Amino acid sequence: MYSDNDDIKIAGDKPSREIRRSREKAEENINLDKAMVKKAKEWGKTVALKFIDDVNTYVNNDVTVDGDMLIQRRMLLSFTATVGFEQFSNNDSVSGIAQKSFIDTVRDFDAEVYRTSSDVGAFSFYYLAFRRGNEVERRIGQTFAMLCSHDGDPVYQELGEALYCWFLSVLKEAAKELGL
């Protein structure tokens, strides 16, 4: 007579080759993910340190420097980091981890610098310019001039465009060096 128990097979002490390969593959993926997380964090920190170098170069205590322009400069560079992480990463998780590392590094450096580099209103204007899709650099420069209260001023427009292009190249180079 036939019973349901006749179809049940008990596995031996050693897993089959397929199970072993599956486990090995899963372990490789975990190690790959850990390596990628480490690279993403390093990317964010590297970009943040370049941002901090810029902040230290241009400080508010110089009477010849426009304080409002310095704050707008910080916001533009911070915005550029945000879009650069997205642009130069083909993985949303890597981009998010790098962005968080950037923010944490800047906040640890100076909470006031962090606060003055993350104005949602300014980011909205930059995103509008960025998302139009054509002549992004020029539009970013125009937005920078407008936010500096120098709307239409070609000097401020060119400065904004140059800052955007420069910092985007910093992100790209850092990603390239880390193999992202």
Side-chain angles (χ1 to χ4, degrees), residues 34-100:
K34 286 179 183 178
M36 191 57 73
V37 166
K38 185 177 178 181
K39 284 182 180 184
K41 286 180 179 179
E42 186 63 30
W43 188 24
K45 184 176 180 176
T46 299
V47 172
L49 292 175
K50 195 69 168 174
F51 174 85
I52 291 166
D53 283 347
D54 188 79
V55 167
N56 286 333
T57 300
Y58 301 97
V59 292
N60 282 333
N61 59 7
D62 185 348
V63 292
T64 62
V65 176
D66 179 356
D68 288 337
M69 190 274 293
L70 289 180
I71 290 173
Q72 293 305 323
R73 180 185 183 105
R74 291 176 189 168
M75 281 190 261
L76 174 55
L77 296 181
S78 183
F79 169 79
T80 304
T82 299
V83 297
F85 289 131
E86 294 169 4
Q87 184 176 352
F88 299 121
S89 173
N90 57 0
N91 182 312
D92 289 342
S93 295
V94 169
S95 174
I97 291 166
Q99 179 68 24
K100 183 177 180 334

Side-chain angles (χ1 to χ4, degrees), residues 95-123:
S95 174
I97 291 166
Q99 179 68 24
K100 183 177 180 334
S101 177
F102 174 84
I103 290 168
D104 290 347
T105 303
V106 171
R107 188 181 315 124
D108 291 347
F109 165 71
D110 187 326
E112 181 64 16
V113 168
Y114 165 73
R115 190 189 65 71
T116 61
S117 64
S118 57
D119 179 20
V120 176
F123 271 45

Side-chain angles (χ1 to χ4, degrees), residues 134-148:
N134 60 346
E135 298 182 324
V136 172
E137 297 87 358
R138 186 175 65 81
R139 292 187 187 284
I140 293 289
Q142 290 170 336
T143 303
F144 176 78
M146 178 200 66
L147 292 171
C148 289

